[in-house]
PDB file of all heavy atoms in Angstrom:
ATOM      1  N   ILE A  93     -57.870  -4.118 126.238  1.00  0.00           N
ATOM      2  CA  ILE A  93     -56.404  -3.851 126.156  1.00  0.00           C
ATOM      3  C   ILE A  93     -55.876  -4.152 124.776  1.00  0.00           C
ATOM      4  O   ILE A  93     -56.331  -5.073 124.090  1.00  0.00           O
ATOM      5  CB  ILE A  93     -55.650  -4.627 127.231  1.00  0.00           C
ATOM      6  CG1 ILE A  93     -54.224  -4.124 127.344  1.00  0.00           C
ATOM      7  CG2 ILE A  93     -55.684  -6.122 126.930  1.00  0.00           C
ATOM      8  CD1 ILE A  93     -53.569  -4.421 128.661  1.00  0.00           C
ATOM      9  N   ASP A  94     -54.909  -3.341 124.367  1.00  0.00           N
ATOM     10  CA  ASP A  94     -54.183  -3.563 123.113  1.00  0.00           C
ATOM     11  C   ASP A  94     -53.032  -4.526 123.416  1.00  0.00           C
ATOM     12  O   ASP A  94     -52.131  -4.193 124.189  1.00  0.00           O
ATOM     13  CB  ASP A  94     -53.661  -2.239 122.584  1.00  0.00           C
ATOM     14  CG  ASP A  94     -52.736  -2.408 121.377  1.00  0.00           C
ATOM     15  OD1 ASP A  94     -53.006  -3.268 120.544  1.00  0.00           O
ATOM     16  OD2 ASP A  94     -51.725  -1.686 121.316  1.00  0.00           O
ATOM     17  N   ALA A  95     -53.112  -5.717 122.867  1.00  0.00           N
ATOM     18  CA  ALA A  95     -52.127  -6.772 123.166  1.00  0.00           C
ATOM     19  C   ALA A  95     -50.697  -6.333 122.836  1.00  0.00           C
ATOM     20  O   ALA A  95     -49.772  -6.626 123.581  1.00  0.00           O
ATOM     21  CB  ALA A  95     -52.469  -8.061 122.427  1.00  0.00           C
ATOM     22  N   GLY A  96     -50.493  -5.639 121.754  1.00  0.00           N
ATOM     23  CA  GLY A  96     -49.173  -5.226 121.343  1.00  0.00           C
ATOM     24  C   GLY A  96     -48.515  -4.297 122.346  1.00  0.00           C
ATOM     25  O   GLY A  96     -47.354  -4.507 122.740  1.00  0.00           O
ATOM     26  N   THR A  97     -49.237  -3.252 122.790  1.00  0.00           N
ATOM     27  CA  THR A  97     -48.629  -2.318 123.756  1.00  0.00           C
ATOM     28  C   THR A  97     -48.494  -2.973 125.113  1.00  0.00           C
ATOM     29  O   THR A  97     -47.573  -2.658 125.868  1.00  0.00           O
ATOM     30  CB  THR A  97     -49.435  -1.021 123.876  1.00  0.00           C
ATOM     31  OG1 THR A  97     -50.732  -1.283 124.377  1.00  0.00           O
ATOM     32  CG2 THR A  97     -49.524  -0.289 122.542  1.00  0.00           C
ATOM     33  N   PHE A  98     -49.373  -3.915 125.439  1.00  0.00           N
ATOM     34  CA  PHE A  98     -49.274  -4.623 126.728  1.00  0.00           C
ATOM     35  C   PHE A  98     -48.056  -5.530 126.762  1.00  0.00           C
ATOM     36  O   PHE A  98     -47.184  -5.412 127.620  1.00  0.00           O
ATOM     37  CB  PHE A  98     -50.549  -5.427 126.999  1.00  0.00           C
ATOM     38  CG  PHE A  98     -50.423  -6.321 128.201  1.00  0.00           C
ATOM     39  CD1 PHE A  98     -50.473  -5.785 129.489  1.00  0.00           C
ATOM     40  CD2 PHE A  98     -50.261  -7.680 128.067  1.00  0.00           C
ATOM     41  CE1 PHE A  98     -50.338  -6.604 130.608  1.00  0.00           C
ATOM     42  CE2 PHE A  98     -50.131  -8.511 129.162  1.00  0.00           C
ATOM     43  CZ  PHE A  98     -50.178  -7.958 130.459  1.00  0.00           C
ATOM     44  N   GLU A  99     -47.972  -6.440 125.794  1.00  0.00           N
ATOM     45  CA  GLU A  99     -46.919  -7.476 125.805  1.00  0.00           C
ATOM     46  C   GLU A  99     -45.522  -6.855 125.669  1.00  0.00           C
ATOM     47  O   GLU A  99     -44.549  -7.392 126.202  1.00  0.00           O
ATOM     48  CB  GLU A  99     -47.173  -8.503 124.751  1.00  0.00           C
ATOM     49  CG  GLU A  99     -48.389  -9.366 125.078  1.00  0.00           C
ATOM     50  CD  GLU A  99     -48.731 -10.408 124.036  1.00  0.00           C
ATOM     51  OE1 GLU A  99     -47.841 -10.842 123.289  1.00  0.00           O
ATOM     52  OE2 GLU A  99     -49.906 -10.817 124.003  1.00  0.00           O
ATOM     53  N   SER A 100     -45.418  -5.723 125.000  1.00  0.00           N
ATOM     54  CA  SER A 100     -44.116  -5.082 124.866  1.00  0.00           C
ATOM     55  C   SER A 100     -43.659  -4.408 126.180  1.00  0.00           C
ATOM     56  O   SER A 100     -42.483  -4.084 126.343  1.00  0.00           O
ATOM     57  CB  SER A 100     -44.138  -4.027 123.740  1.00  0.00           C
ATOM     58  OG  SER A 100     -44.947  -2.924 124.109  1.00  0.00           O
ATOM     59  N   ARG A 101     -44.572  -4.277 127.150  1.00  0.00           N
ATOM     60  CA  ARG A 101     -44.241  -3.648 128.428  1.00  0.00           C
ATOM     61  C   ARG A 101     -44.154  -4.670 129.562  1.00  0.00           C
ATOM     62  O   ARG A 101     -43.923  -4.309 130.714  1.00  0.00           O
ATOM     63  CB  ARG A 101     -45.231  -2.555 128.730  1.00  0.00           C
ATOM     64  CG  ARG A 101     -44.959  -1.339 127.880  1.00  0.00           C
ATOM     65  CD  ARG A 101     -46.135  -0.392 127.798  1.00  0.00           C
ATOM     66  NE  ARG A 101     -45.797   0.823 127.057  1.00  0.00           N
ATOM     67  CZ  ARG A 101     -45.751   0.881 125.715  1.00  0.00           C
ATOM     68  NH1 ARG A 101     -45.987  -0.200 124.982  1.00  0.00           N
ATOM     69  NH2 ARG A 101     -45.436   2.011 125.119  1.00  0.00           N
ATOM     70  N   VAL A 102     -44.354  -5.938 129.257  1.00  0.00           N
ATOM     71  CA  VAL A 102     -44.283  -6.977 130.289  1.00  0.00           C
ATOM     72  C   VAL A 102     -42.832  -7.419 130.442  1.00  0.00           C
ATOM     73  O   VAL A 102     -42.150  -7.697 129.454  1.00  0.00           O
ATOM     74  CB  VAL A 102     -45.173  -8.189 129.913  1.00  0.00           C
ATOM     75  CG1 VAL A 102     -44.889  -9.372 130.850  1.00  0.00           C
ATOM     76  CG2 VAL A 102     -46.615  -7.825 129.962  1.00  0.00           C
ATOM     77  N   SER A 103     -42.413  -7.521 131.696  1.00  0.00           N
ATOM     78  CA  SER A 103     -41.099  -8.113 131.987  1.00  0.00           C
ATOM     79  C   SER A 103     -41.241  -9.030 133.176  1.00  0.00           C
ATOM     80  O   SER A 103     -42.080  -8.804 134.054  1.00  0.00           O
ATOM     81  CB  SER A 103     -40.016  -7.055 132.224  1.00  0.00           C
ATOM     82  OG  SER A 103     -40.345  -6.314 133.408  1.00  0.00           O
ATOM     83  N   PHE A 119     -42.908 -15.927 128.654  1.00  0.00           N
ATOM     84  CA  PHE A 119     -44.288 -15.880 129.051  1.00  0.00           C
ATOM     85  C   PHE A 119     -45.223 -15.970 127.839  1.00  0.00           C
ATOM     86  O   PHE A 119     -44.807 -15.694 126.706  1.00  0.00           O
ATOM     87  CB  PHE A 119     -44.612 -14.602 129.852  1.00  0.00           C
ATOM     88  CG  PHE A 119     -44.621 -13.348 129.009  1.00  0.00           C
ATOM     89  CD1 PHE A 119     -45.805 -12.888 128.460  1.00  0.00           C
ATOM     90  CD2 PHE A 119     -43.459 -12.633 128.779  1.00  0.00           C
ATOM     91  CE1 PHE A 119     -45.829 -11.722 127.701  1.00  0.00           C
ATOM     92  CE2 PHE A 119     -43.465 -11.469 128.025  1.00  0.00           C
ATOM     93  CZ  PHE A 119     -44.647 -11.016 127.454  1.00  0.00           C
ATOM     94  N   VAL A 120     -46.474 -16.300 128.126  1.00  0.00           N
ATOM     95  CA  VAL A 120     -47.544 -16.300 127.150  1.00  0.00           C
ATOM     96  C   VAL A 120     -48.684 -15.511 127.763  1.00  0.00           C
ATOM     97  O   VAL A 120     -49.041 -15.778 128.919  1.00  0.00           O
ATOM     98  CB  VAL A 120     -48.008 -17.722 126.781  1.00  0.00           C
ATOM     99  CG1 VAL A 120     -49.224 -17.688 125.893  1.00  0.00           C
ATOM    100  CG2 VAL A 120     -46.887 -18.513 126.135  1.00  0.00           C
ATOM    101  N   ALA A 121     -49.232 -14.560 127.023  1.00  0.00           N
ATOM    102  CA  ALA A 121     -50.383 -13.806 127.504  1.00  0.00           C
ATOM    103  C   ALA A 121     -51.617 -14.260 126.734  1.00  0.00           C
ATOM    104  O   ALA A 121     -51.569 -14.444 125.501  1.00  0.00           O
ATOM    105  CB  ALA A 121     -50.160 -12.310 127.297  1.00  0.00           C
ATOM    106  N   SER A 122     -52.731 -14.446 127.456  1.00  0.00           N
ATOM    107  CA  SER A 122     -54.003 -14.765 126.815  1.00  0.00           C
ATOM    108  C   SER A 122     -55.048 -13.803 127.331  1.00  0.00           C
ATOM    109  O   SER A 122     -54.917 -13.236 128.420  1.00  0.00           O
ATOM    110  CB  SER A 122     -54.390 -16.224 127.070  1.00  0.00           C
ATOM    111  OG  SER A 122     -54.467 -16.474 128.457  1.00  0.00           O
ATOM    112  N   TYR A 123     -56.079 -13.608 126.548  1.00  0.00           N
ATOM    113  CA  TYR A 123     -57.066 -12.571 126.793  1.00  0.00           C
ATOM    114  C   TYR A 123     -58.459 -13.144 126.740  1.00  0.00           C
ATOM    115  O   TYR A 123     -58.750 -14.038 125.936  1.00  0.00           O
ATOM    116  CB  TYR A 123     -56.931 -11.451 125.745  1.00  0.00           C
ATOM    117  CG  TYR A 123     -55.522 -10.912 125.650  1.00  0.00           C
ATOM    118  CD1 TYR A 123     -54.588 -11.547 124.817  1.00  0.00           C
ATOM    119  CD2 TYR A 123     -55.116  -9.856 126.424  1.00  0.00           C
ATOM    120  CE1 TYR A 123     -53.283 -11.063 124.751  1.00  0.00           C
ATOM    121  CE2 TYR A 123     -53.813  -9.375 126.348  1.00  0.00           C
ATOM    122  CZ  TYR A 123     -52.913  -9.993 125.504  1.00  0.00           C
ATOM    123  OH  TYR A 123     -51.618  -9.531 125.441  1.00  0.00           O
ATOM    124  N   ARG A 127     -61.308  -8.685 126.132  1.00  0.00           N
ATOM    125  CA  ARG A 127     -59.970  -8.138 126.365  1.00  0.00           C
ATOM    126  C   ARG A 127     -59.914  -7.276 127.621  1.00  0.00           C
ATOM    127  O   ARG A 127     -59.141  -6.324 127.695  1.00  0.00           O
ATOM    128  CB  ARG A 127     -59.456  -7.373 125.165  1.00  0.00           C
ATOM    129  CG  ARG A 127     -59.174  -8.298 123.990  1.00  0.00           C
ATOM    130  CD  ARG A 127     -58.433  -7.578 122.891  1.00  0.00           C
ATOM    131  NE  ARG A 127     -57.954  -8.487 121.906  1.00  0.00           N
ATOM    132  CZ  ARG A 127     -56.736  -9.038 121.894  1.00  0.00           C
ATOM    133  NH1 ARG A 127     -55.893  -8.757 122.805  1.00  0.00           N
ATOM    134  NH2 ARG A 127     -56.386  -9.860 120.939  1.00  0.00           N
ATOM    135  N   ILE A 130     -56.587 -10.375 131.479  1.00  0.00           N
ATOM    136  CA  ILE A 130     -55.368 -10.880 130.871  1.00  0.00           C
ATOM    137  C   ILE A 130     -54.777 -11.918 131.790  1.00  0.00           C
ATOM    138  O   ILE A 130     -54.647 -11.690 132.991  1.00  0.00           O
ATOM    139  CB  ILE A 130     -54.338  -9.750 130.654  1.00  0.00           C
ATOM    140  CG1 ILE A 130     -54.957  -8.574 129.903  1.00  0.00           C
ATOM    141  CG2 ILE A 130     -53.105 -10.265 129.947  1.00  0.00           C
ATOM    142  CD1 ILE A 130     -55.253  -7.405 130.784  1.00  0.00           C
ATOM    143  N   VAL A 132     -51.304 -14.027 132.305  1.00  0.00           N
ATOM    144  CA  VAL A 132     -49.893 -14.157 131.904  1.00  0.00           C
ATOM    145  C   VAL A 132     -49.357 -15.405 132.596  1.00  0.00           C
ATOM    146  O   VAL A 132     -49.376 -15.500 133.817  1.00  0.00           O
ATOM    147  CB  VAL A 132     -49.063 -12.924 132.321  1.00  0.00           C
ATOM    148  CG1 VAL A 132     -47.609 -13.116 131.967  1.00  0.00           C
ATOM    149  CG2 VAL A 132     -49.647 -11.670 131.677  1.00  0.00           C
ATOM    150  N   THR A 149     -43.730  -7.396 135.989  1.00  0.00           N
ATOM    151  CA  THR A 149     -43.841  -5.934 135.944  1.00  0.00           C
ATOM    152  C   THR A 149     -44.417  -5.560 134.610  1.00  0.00           C
ATOM    153  O   THR A 149     -43.963  -6.049 133.564  1.00  0.00           O
ATOM    154  CB  THR A 149     -42.459  -5.254 136.156  1.00  0.00           C
ATOM    155  OG1 THR A 149     -41.936  -5.694 137.412  1.00  0.00           O
ATOM    156  CG2 THR A 149     -42.603  -3.747 136.155  1.00  0.00           C
ATOM    157  N   VAL A 150     -45.437  -4.706 134.628  1.00  0.00           N
ATOM    158  CA  VAL A 150     -46.004  -4.121 133.415  1.00  0.00           C
ATOM    159  C   VAL A 150     -45.625  -2.651 133.486  1.00  0.00           C
ATOM    160  O   VAL A 150     -46.092  -1.903 134.335  1.00  0.00           O
ATOM    161  CB  VAL A 150     -47.521  -4.287 133.321  1.00  0.00           C
ATOM    162  CG1 VAL A 150     -48.044  -3.662 132.007  1.00  0.00           C
ATOM    163  CG2 VAL A 150     -47.909  -5.762 133.423  1.00  0.00           C
ATOM    164  N   ALA A 154     -48.999   0.842 128.538  1.00  0.00           N
ATOM    165  CA  ALA A 154     -49.878  -0.141 127.887  1.00  0.00           C
ATOM    166  C   ALA A 154     -51.200   0.561 127.627  1.00  0.00           C
ATOM    167  O   ALA A 154     -51.714   1.277 128.487  1.00  0.00           O
ATOM    168  CB  ALA A 154     -50.057  -1.351 128.768  1.00  0.00           C
TER     169      ALA A 154
END
Side-chain angles (χ1 to χ4, degrees):
I93 193 157
D94 172 39
T97 63
F98 171 75
E99 292 179 24
S100 68
R101 285 162 176 79
V102 170
S103 64
F119 73 92
V120 173
S122 57
Y123 307 87
R127 291 191 169 265
I130 307 105
V132 177
T149 302
V150 181

